[in-house]
């Protein structure tokens, strides 16, 4: 997941992330459930980072940042 989060950090806005996310999920779903879950987790992680305005380590997003994600 760490490499996916790093790749997703090039998207600076939620709008650009939302544009790319469906394509990433389509590719991941063809690779299997585990890969799809990793992509979903990385996308959600990046959404929390964008909402909070800062970067977090993978798996270390505080609850206050999750509250900002809709």
């Amino acid at each position: 997941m760490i490499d996916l989060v790093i790749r997703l950090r090039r998207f600076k806005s939620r709008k650009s992330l939302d544009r790319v996310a469906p394509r990433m999920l389509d590719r991941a779903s063809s690779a299997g459930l585990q890969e799809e879950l990793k992509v979903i987790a990385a996308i959600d992680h990046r959404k929390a980072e964008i909402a909070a305005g800062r970067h977090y380590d993978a798996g270390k997003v505080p609850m206050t940042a999750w509250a900002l994600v809709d």
Side-chain angles (χ1 to χ4, degrees), residues 3-68:
D3 57 330
L4 288 172
V5 171
I6 291 170
R7 283 189 9 216
L8 289 173
R9 283 185 179 155
R10 68 180 156 182
F11 302 105
K12 304 297 182 196
S13 71
R14 177 80 186 261
K15 184 177 178 180
S16 61
L17 183 63
D18 288 341
R19 199 172 342 159
V20 143
R23 286 181 279 173
M24 289 181 73
L25 286 170
D26 284 343
R27 285 189 209 124
S29 66
S30 65
L33 181 62
Q34 290 295 338
E35 189 63 28
E36 187 175 4
L37 292 175
K38 286 180 192 176
V39 170
I40 290 169
I43 291 169
D44 287 346
H45 181 97
R46 184 60 188 141
K47 286 179 183 177
E49 287 183 340
I50 290 170
R54 58 179 298 195
H55 292 164
Y56 297 105
D57 292 337
K60 306 281 185 183
V61 177
M63 291 302 292
T64 55
W66 287 120
L68 299 173

